[in-house]
Amino acid sequence: MKRNPLTARSGATVGLAIASIAVLTACGTQSGGSGGGDAAEELGEMEGQVSILAWPGYVEDGSNDPAVDWVSSFEEETGCEVTSKTYGTSDEAVNLMKSGDYDVVVASGDATLRLIAAEDVVPVNTDLIPNYEGIYDFLKDKEWNSVDGESYGVPHGYGANLLMYNTEVVTEAPTSWDVVFDRAGEFTGKVTAYDSPIYIADAAVYLMAHQPELGIENPYALDEEQFQAAVDLLKEQRQHVGEYWSDYLKEIQAFQTGDSVVGTTWQVIQNVLESEGASTGVVLPEEGATGWSDTWMIAAGAENPNCAYAWLDHIASPEANAAATSYFGEAPSNDAACEFREDCEAYHAGDADYASQIWYWTTPIAECVDGRTDVECVDYAAWTAAWQEIKG
Amino acid sequence: MTTNAPTRHPLPARRAGFARKGSAFLATHPRARLAFLLTAPLFWLVVVYVVALALLLVTAFWSVDSFTGEITTEWTMDNIITVLTGSLYQTVTLRTLGVALAVTIVDVLLALPIAFYMAKVASPRMQRILVILVLTPLWASYLVKAYAWRSVLSQDGILEWLVSPFGGHTPGYGLPATIITLSYLWLPYVILPIYAGLERVPDSLLEASGDLGGRAWPTIRLVVFPLVLPAIIAGTIFSFSLSLGDYITVNIVGGASQMLGNLVYTNVGAANNLPLASAIALIPIVIIFGYLFLVRRTGALDNL
């Protein structure tokens, strides 16, 4: 009798162990069978589901706001059920894609080339995407979405990293990034900044205007001296930073409670804050800004390639492209999308000159992306290390 | 003698079957029984736990291709050297140790009176209620509690509202907020071992001390404290080691501060540098082993 509880417990342990082993082996078999590959030649039958990795606000099925929904119509038309996961920084996306759990990913320019180099995504046959034709030509076949003339995806939208301020504390609307750099002391402890190594480029954009003697031509092509200047500027800023953000909900809350009063942001954050009645404003400062141009890509070894192609076509369609880019607060990639939204002018949609003034996120590599050959630039690994140093 | 033997009931007919044969075999082979019982749990312990830890150690000696993010399995000491000599890692290690020590001290100071009241003063009924109350916060999610503290400590949070009439201010987000939140999170883990330790101290010892003229303080210092010291150390093992590895709380209420866990997280999650992350993860492991080594003689490990 005394041994009964013991055997019962061991039985449970055995059961648990067996279950765990089963799970482990299941995990082990999932990752096989992918790698590189070519673009699809033709489409087959829909698989019934598709799994998407996206920036917050890119795949909305109405669960956040019933009026914001461009997923349900896709699900009805194609029968592909959408599951999505959001990420906060490009590095997170690159990492998550290594799991092989996603069919489709939307990535910014600082992630796309890394995904392509790691063979986590495959070229996309744009002939299979009817709506690809409507995409602005100045977004097609760019260095961040194609390699050797082969397209790796469909451009989604583009926009700038803006400066957000609390209108009650920062009474005079700022016109320059100096409120988070040289004048950051005025708001000490309440400055916020984007928590990613790519934020070093924001400091470089500021230095381009305020320290021209450094000769920065492109914020993603920094030689040792220019890079050090940007890092020093950020180390000074660090003393005044209340918190860094990468989770956009955290930034929304910090601006609501007044724990952050000035710092970088996205338009979508301002939209949420505005709808909740917070007193915040955004501005595109005179120095210009970093920004993003995003691309929808298909994973190598995607389990649902047909639904993936269907999604790429759906999101490039004028209606869906208008709804998604308008919600996130960025310019659409499809010219016809402007028929479905009224704020296209505010985002300078289709204005190729304006678009060229935003410094789109690009992965910094040793071979300077601004074309210099006499120096070696600081690569992204060093940016990452420096970013941890800055945070201290 | 044989006449006293009870009449034997007829045995049920033997059923031949796999289960039957199996149990018959196991009944007569104790070693096979043991092997059958322990294979799966041992497999779990060795493969999932020990091998995973060993892989972590090994990974620290590899490096990563910075562009594709693939791990290259060539032996290198670079990560270990970086972690040992980099000023960033030294600063963050000291900060993390400081936070873990502060959390431990705060928790012990809070837990001692509560545990003493529970074990020695409260009625048995009250005792049960208090144990339940101490355990209740453990049923809520860690994240919910951390985010609750985020709103409590914010600029227009309840703490600011409470202390501003007296000229005080909320500490805001930063290391003090991290220490407060972690102390809250780990408090039950410190109270329970100390409570259990105090319960084992016989009341008669306290009475004897009183009979011999010992007042409250000398009794606590000379009788109770030496007896519960192993239990207190057992409690500190929890709060210290849990704080040492934490990265979520500091991310939520820590403002711009980083702890070792954050460095591991950014190196795995953002920088995709698993080898360096493993090297950093070795720091808390070494510290914890050092701590366990120091306290093993006190008998604290028997109180866990």
Side-chain angles (χ1 to χ4, degrees):
Chain A
M1 284 313 280
K2 220 179 118 191
R3 276 169 44 186
N4 267 349
L6 196 82
T7 21
R9 210 186 308 155
S10 306
T13 321
V14 172
L16 191 71
I18 291 168
S20 323
I21 293 160
V23 169
L24 281 177
T25 30
C27 289
T29 50
Q30 233 171 39
S31 52
S34 68
D38 300 315
E41 292 290 324
E42 55 186 353
L43 291 183
E45 270 190 37
M46 298 294 170
E47 294 87 354
Q49 73 273 326
V50 62
S51 146
I52 301 175
L53 182 63
W55 288 104
Y58 271 34
V59 181
E60 291 292 322
D61 58 2
S63 54
N64 284 331
D65 179 350
V68 178
D69 180 4
W70 51 89
V71 169
S72 303
S73 58
F74 169 76
E75 288 178 336
E76 274 161 31
E77 270 167 40
T78 61
C80 302
E81 200 179 319
V82 174
T83 50
S84 71
K85 177 171 172 57
T86 61
Y87 61 87
T89 63
S90 290
D91 304 308
E92 216 181 312
V94 172
N95 239 349
L96 283 170
M97 279 306 286
K98 296 200 184 304
S99 71
D101 289 347
Y102 307 96
D103 300 313
V104 175
V105 58
V106 59
S108 298
D110 56 333
T112 47
L113 287 183
R114 280 187 274 163
L115 291 171
I116 294 170
E119 295 187 343
D120 287 328
V121 290
V122 286
V124 166
N125 183 352
T126 52
D127 294 339
L128 300 176
I129 301 169
N131 284 318
Y132 188 73
E133 242 201 304
I135 304 283
Y136 291 125
D137 282 335
F138 66 86
L139 292 174
K140 288 181 185 170
D141 300 324
K142 289 292 162 189
E143 62 266 31
W144 63 83
N145 61 23
S146 46
V147 170
D148 299 334
E150 239 184 333
S151 174
Y152 274 80
V154 178
H156 173 70
Y158 57 99
N161 292 309
L162 302 167
L163 174 62
M164 172 172 272
Y165 58 100
N166 184 320
T167 49
E168 284 166 13
V169 180
V170 190
T171 42
E172 209 172 312
T175 57
S176 160
W177 286 110
D178 64 359
V179 286
V180 295
F181 292 117
D182 289 332
R183 286 174 55 205
E186 294 171 33
F187 311 104
T188 188
K190 300 195 170 186
V191 175
T192 188
Y194 187 56
D195 190 0
S196 163
I198 208 73
Y199 184 69
I200 295 172
D202 287 56
V205 168
Y206 182 75
L207 290 175
M208 273 165 85
H210 293 268
Q211 288 185 35
E213 66 276 11
L214 285 168
I216 300 176
E217 294 287 328
N218 179 320
Y220 305 102
L222 304 175
D223 61 37
E224 200 55 56
E225 189 197 343
Q226 297 164 339
F227 184 72
Q228 204 48 52
V231 169
D232 289 344
L233 182 65
L234 289 169
K235 279 188 176 163
E236 238 175 80
Q237 184 200 42
R238 163 70 180 84
Q239 300 162 13
H240 308 295
V241 169
E243 67 178 4
Y244 293 97
W245 69 274
S246 58
D247 175 352
Y248 81 125
L249 295 171
K250 202 171 121 182
E251 197 193 24
I252 290 172
Q253 196 228 350
F255 267 95
Q256 268 173 340
T257 56
D259 287 290
S260 296
V261 298
V262 67
T264 43
T265 196
W266 299 329
Q267 182 72 41
V268 65
I269 292 174
Q270 168 66 7
N271 294 352
V272 174
L273 281 166
E274 218 170 75
S275 71
E276 298 188 1
S279 45
T280 53
V282 287
V283 64
L284 178 61
E286 63 202 12
E287 291 94 351
T290 58
W292 66 89
S293 177
D294 293 348
T295 310
W296 288 98
M297 308 177 108
I298 294 182
E303 279 170 28
N304 308 297
N306 298 310
C307 276
Y309 266 94
W311 173 262
L312 259 60
D313 187 47
H314 172 76
I315 200 71
S317 70
E319 296 94 331
N321 188 249
T325 55
S326 152
Y327 181 67
F328 193 82
E330 59 187 341
S333 59
N334 189 323
D335 200 24
C338 285
E339 289 167 26
F340 296 91
R341 54 186 281 197
E342 290 157 359
D343 51 357
C344 264
E345 269 178 33
Y347 294 105
H348 304 262
D351 183 344
D353 284 339
Y354 175 86
S356 69
Q357 283 167 24
I358 302 173
W359 292 105
Y360 297 116
W361 282 343
T362 313
T363 308
I365 48 176
E367 194 183 321
C368 298
V369 289
D370 63 355
R372 281 185 292 174
T373 49
D374 52 333
V375 286
E376 196 166 270
C377 281
V378 181
D379 70 0
Y380 193 65
W383 282 48
T384 314
W387 182 244
Q388 288 176 14
E389 288 280 348
I390 291 163
K391 294 209 296 176
Chain B
M1 294 293 265
T2 48
T3 47
N4 290 344
T7 50
R8 291 174 67 181
H9 291 288
L11 279 170
R14 281 188 153 222
R15 275 181 300 151
F18 182 72
R20 181 86 211 172
K21 276 185 192 155
S23 63
F25 175 78
L26 287 176
T28 50
H29 295 75
R31 277 171 185 275
R33 198 163 64 215
L34 196 68
F36 185 68
L37 210 64
L38 286 183
T39 307
L42 271 183
F43 178 81
W44 171 261
L45 185 73
V46 172
V47 172
V48 179
Y49 192 72
V50 178
V51 171
L53 207 61
L55 278 179
L56 183 81
L57 282 166
V58 171
T59 314
F61 295 95
W62 290 343
S63 64
V64 86
D65 182 315
S66 67
F67 199 67
T68 58
E70 306 292 336
I71 289 175
T72 43
T73 53
E74 278 169 33
W75 297 99
T76 163
M77 287 292 288
D78 287 356
N79 296 311
I80 306 288
I81 293 169
T82 312
V83 166
L84 286 180
T85 58
S87 61
L88 168 71
Y89 305 104
Q90 292 168 0
T91 328
V92 177
T93 303
L94 285 179
R95 182 184 302 140
T96 310
L97 261 179
V99 168
L101 282 175
V103 169
T104 304
I105 291 168
V106 169
D107 270 350
V108 169
L109 289 181
L110 289 175
L112 272 176
I114 298 174
F116 189 82
Y117 181 83
M118 283 165 63
K120 293 292 166 218
V121 183
S123 65
R125 188 183 138 79
M126 194 61 195
Q127 214 170 1
R128 276 199 299 276
I129 294 176
L130 282 172
V131 169
I132 291 171
L133 282 180
V134 167
L135 287 172
T136 314
L138 294 179
W139 297 346
S141 151
Y142 173 106
L143 275 180
V144 171
K145 289 183 282 186
Y147 271 105
W149 275 103
R150 183 175 164 86
S151 77
V152 166
L153 292 163
S154 87
Q155 294 295 328
D156 65 353
I158 192 166
L159 187 68
E160 177 77 16
W161 174 78
L162 269 176
V163 298
S164 59
F166 310 105
H169 281 293
T170 162
Y173 304 142
L175 287 183
T178 312
I179 293 170
I180 293 172
T181 309
L182 286 176
S183 308
Y184 167 81
L185 287 172
W186 311 143
L187 189 58
Y189 298 103
V190 183
I191 292 181
L192 289 178
I194 298 182
Y195 163 71
L198 277 167
E199 272 227 301
R200 283 202 296 266
V201 176
D203 289 344
S204 55
L205 280 184
L206 303 184
E207 285 159 12
S209 172
D211 291 346
L212 293 169
R215 290 169 185 276
W217 179 243
T219 306
I220 288 177
R221 194 166 57 90
L222 297 171
V223 179
V224 179
F225 190 72
L227 285 172
V228 293
L229 187 65
I232 295 177
I233 293 174
T236 64
I237 291 173
F238 283 119
S239 62
F240 186 75
S241 58
L242 288 171
S243 306
L244 214 52
D246 188 83
Y247 71 98
I248 300 174
T249 297
V250 67
N251 206 9
I252 294 171
V253 298
S257 321
Q258 297 190 102
M259 288 184 21
L260 282 173
N262 299 86
L263 290 183
V264 174
Y265 177 75
T266 42
N267 273 300
V268 177
N272 188 36
N273 194 340
L274 203 57
L276 185 58
S278 315
I280 300 170
L282 291 180
I283 301 175
I285 293 179
V286 168
I287 295 176
I288 285 291
F289 269 112
Y291 188 65
L292 292 179
F293 185 75
L294 277 180
V295 301
R296 80 192 192 291
R297 281 173 176 278
T298 63
L301 301 180
D302 307 328
N303 278 272
L304 284 177

